[in-house]
Amino acid sequence: MTTSLTLRRPDDWHLHLRDGAILRAVLPESARHFARAIIMPNLVPPVVTARDARAYRDRILAALPKEMTFTPLMTLYLTEETDPADVAHAHASGLVTAVKLYPAGATTNSASGVRDVDRVRGVLEKMAEIGLPLCVHGEVTDAHIDIFDREAVFIDRVLDPVRRATPGLRVVMEHVTTRDAVDYVTSQPRDLGATITTHHMVINRNHILVGGIKPHYYCLPVAKREDHRLALRAAATSGDPRFFLGTDSAPHADPAKESACGCAGCFTAPHTLSILAHVFEDEDALDRLETFTSLNGPAFYGLAPNDTTLTLTKGDAVRYPERIETGDGPVTLFDPGFPLHWHVT
Ligand code: DOR
Ligand code: ZN
């Protein structure tokens, strides 16, 4: 039985760090294990311009404890007013690694997102030309589309048409939650990748709703049926280079989640690697954990994998705190529902 596993240091290809007091509290949780992360731009107000991204990157680096190293890979929040020249300049200067498309109204702080993709064609064409990837929140927002169908409908109505209309555009379908998305990604050429979160490999929709509503399991896209969860686990553990880790660790202070209108997001940064090792061991795929956490993501983004390593060890159950304290209130950790035996040493 394997009890120790050394990996190239992982990266997180989809992370919410927020700002201010929450940023200061959650950043070390990611920096402890991850060398780099794609930083989501859905602040209030959002990170729209190169100037916004530079200022946010400076705030992140200022919040990083001195003894830690961590590289924030910045993204721009795509709006219908985004200037292709500003995007190209931000890319050329090495400031941004991707642009994020939020359909307006799809999720947390997406009000300034895109209503009509025709209005961002110029930016997408520029991105295809310069090789800057587009990260996509893949859900339609039409009120009459059932929330459990929004990802599958997005593929047909938005993602596939946009990719056909913009040859050469590299796209990451973020936090895929359905078998439909896994099948679509695997049916396409290598210019389409997908991130998979830790929590979507652990929970299905029953975890949210059976026996009382569990706000800390509510995230977007919402977890689907068991069959979809199994498809995500199979994709993540397959070694297919198109699938890589994006935790979508998304902290909200507890009162904002435990509310009559609770925010979407699961906070997994502190124990993601412990949970993933458990999942990969369950799937008899520990030998492919490094591919998922540390190799496929850099390859997709055209970056070198990290040259440092991290070791996971299996032993007695590890205890993580139930919540971490922040200057904006406590933030509860995602509860995987099983004891964790792998820990980073
Ligand atoms: O669950 C989520 N939380 N999904 C998102 O798309 C956004 C995120 C957040 O920012 O809280
Ligand atoms: Zn997210």
Side-chain angles (χ1 to χ4, degrees), residues 94-171:
L95 175 66
V96 303
T97 304
V99 171
K100 176 70 187 261
L101 165 64
Y102 286 105
T107 186
T108 311
N109 303 331
S110 60
S112 317
V114 175
R115 262 161 244 285
D116 176 1
V117 282
D118 283 334
R119 303 183 70 122
V120 295
R121 289 260 175 251
V123 184
L124 300 183
E125 275 157 21
K126 177 55 79 179
M127 289 169 62
E129 181 192 321
I130 63 182
L132 179 60
L134 179 72
C135 297
V136 172
H137 182 107
E139 289 190 287
V140 293
T141 55
D142 319 36
H144 62 281
I145 305 287
D146 189 278
I147 189 167
F148 292 101
D149 299 331
R150 287 178 176 198
E151 183 171 286
V153 172
F154 182 88
I155 295 168
D156 294 339
R157 289 200 193 160
V158 184
L159 182 56
D160 195 60
V162 163
R163 291 185 52 249
R164 283 175 197 278
T166 328
L169 181 65
R170 295 176 68 69
V171 177

Side-chain angles (χ1 to χ4, degrees), residues 12-310:
D12 186 347
W13 298 95
H14 182 129
L15 176 65
H16 297 269
L17 287 177
R18 314 301 190 204
D19 217 338
I22 296 208
L23 166 65
R24 283 192 292 280
V26 302
L27 176 59
E29 301 297 329
S30 288
R32 194 169 291 135
H33 299 152
F34 294 93
R36 301 172 284 197
I38 288 269
I39 308 301
M40 286 297 122
N42 62 334
L43 305 181
V44 189
V47 179
V48 173
T49 64
R51 172 199 281 254
D52 300 337
R54 183 168 291 109
Y56 186 31
R57 185 180 64 180
D58 290 347
R59 296 199 295 282
I60 294 168
L61 293 175
L64 187 68
K66 278 190 199 55
E67 69 282 8
M68 291 183 151
T69 50
F70 176 75
T71 305
L73 302 172
M74 306 309 291
T75 61
L76 297 178
Y77 183 117
L78 183 59
T79 74
E80 293 181 0
E81 282 73 48
T82 294
D83 174 8
D86 184 57
V87 171
H89 181 70
H91 173 64
S93 69
L95 175 66
V96 303
T97 304
V99 171
K100 176 70 187 261
L101 165 64
Y102 286 105
T107 186
T108 311
N109 303 331
S110 60
S112 317
V114 175
R115 262 161 244 285
D116 176 1
V117 282
D118 283 334
R119 303 183 70 122
V120 295
R121 289 260 175 251
V123 184
L124 300 183
E125 275 157 21
K126 177 55 79 179
M127 289 169 62
E129 181 192 321
I130 63 182
L132 179 60
L134 179 72
C135 297
V136 172
H137 182 107
E139 289 190 287
V140 293
T141 55
D142 319 36
H144 62 281
I145 305 287
D146 189 278
I147 189 167
F148 292 101
D149 299 331
R150 287 178 176 198
E151 183 171 286
V153 172
F154 182 88
I155 295 168
D156 294 339
R157 289 200 193 160
V158 184
L159 182 56
D160 195 60
V162 163
R163 291 185 52 249
R164 283 175 197 278
T166 328
L169 181 65
R170 295 176 68 69
V171 177
V172 183
M173 195 176 177
E174 300 285 7
H175 43 50
V176 291
T177 60
T178 57
R179 185 175 288 282
D180 311 63
V182 168
D183 289 348
Y184 178 67
V185 171
T186 48
S187 74
Q188 298 299 303
R190 297 281 161 95
D191 60 354
L192 177 65
T195 53
I196 302 179
T197 77
T198 304
H199 51 281
H200 286 115
M201 285 193 264
V202 174
I203 60 167
N204 63 33
R205 63 194 200 176
N206 277 15
H207 292 84
I208 312 170
L209 295 170
V210 172
I213 190 158
K214 315 290 189 320
H216 293 288
Y217 287 150
Y218 174 62
C219 64
L220 286 169
V222 71
K224 310 294 194 297
R225 287 179 179 277
E226 177 64 0
D227 176 60
H228 295 291
R229 185 183 75 101
L230 297 179
L232 301 178
R233 286 170 77 110
T237 58
S238 67
D240 186 318
R242 289 168 288 200
F243 296 102
F244 40 93
L245 175 64
T247 66
D248 198 14
S249 180
H252 292 277
D254 286 348
K257 290 204 55 84
E258 299 165 5
S259 137
C261 184
C263 293
C266 295
F267 177 55
T268 57
H271 55 344
T272 271
L273 292 173
S274 291
I275 302 172
L276 284 174
H278 181 109
V279 167
F280 275 65
E281 186 174 42
D282 262 7
E283 298 288 332
D284 208 12
L286 273 179
D287 57 336
R288 288 197 283 272
L289 182 61
E290 180 186 49
T291 306
F292 180 67
T293 60
S294 317
L295 302 178
N296 288 350
F300 186 90
Y301 278 94
L303 298 169
N306 297 307
D307 48 20
T308 52
T309 60
L310 166 154

